[in-house]
Amino acid sequence: MAEKDIKDLTFKDASVELEQIVRQLEGSDLELEESLALYTRGVELVKDLRGRLDTAEQKVRVLLDASEAGSAISDTTAAPSTAYVNE
């Protein structure tokens, strides 16, 4: 079976594949070459998954920063009273 390019996998699919690789390696019924190939694929998956998590974390931080900055501007509870507007 041909391996899919890691970039074409969803995060969930890549995670599932990594879990399957770990289980296969723990079974230890593999030839050395197959173990090395699986280990290499696993390392590639881990690197990609970490990169995706880092990217997601950065996006969340940007959104949180924008949300905090926006709430300071749109927070009207600290606005001066408008009782005198109609005078």
Side-chain angles (χ1 to χ4, degrees):
M1 180 173 140
E3 293 177 345
K4 283 181 91 173
D5 188 344
I6 292 172
K7 298 295 180 192
D8 293 337
L9 297 173
T10 64
F11 186 87
K12 182 177 181 178
D13 289 342
S15 298
V16 168
E17 183 178 342
L18 179 60
E19 185 177 332
Q20 291 170 347
I21 287 172
V22 169
R23 287 186 181 160
Q24 284 181 292
L25 289 171
E26 288 175 344
S28 71
D29 293 338
L30 304 170
E31 294 292 329
L32 177 62
E33 295 80 12
E34 189 176 2
S35 293
L36 287 173
L38 285 170
Y39 184 81
T40 300
R41 176 73 172 181
V43 169
E44 292 169 353
L45 286 164
V46 167
K47 287 163 94 174
D48 182 73
L49 290 168
R50 282 185 181 160
R52 292 185 197 194
L53 285 173
D54 288 343
T55 299
E57 183 179 3
Q58 288 173 354
K59 287 180 181 179
V60 169
R61 284 184 182 169
V62 166
L63 292 171
L64 286 175
D65 290 346
S67 172
E68 289 171 1
S71 67
I73 294 169
S74 64
D75 182 10
T76 58
T77 59
S81 173
T82 58
Y84 62 88
V85 170
N86 292 329
E87 295 177 6

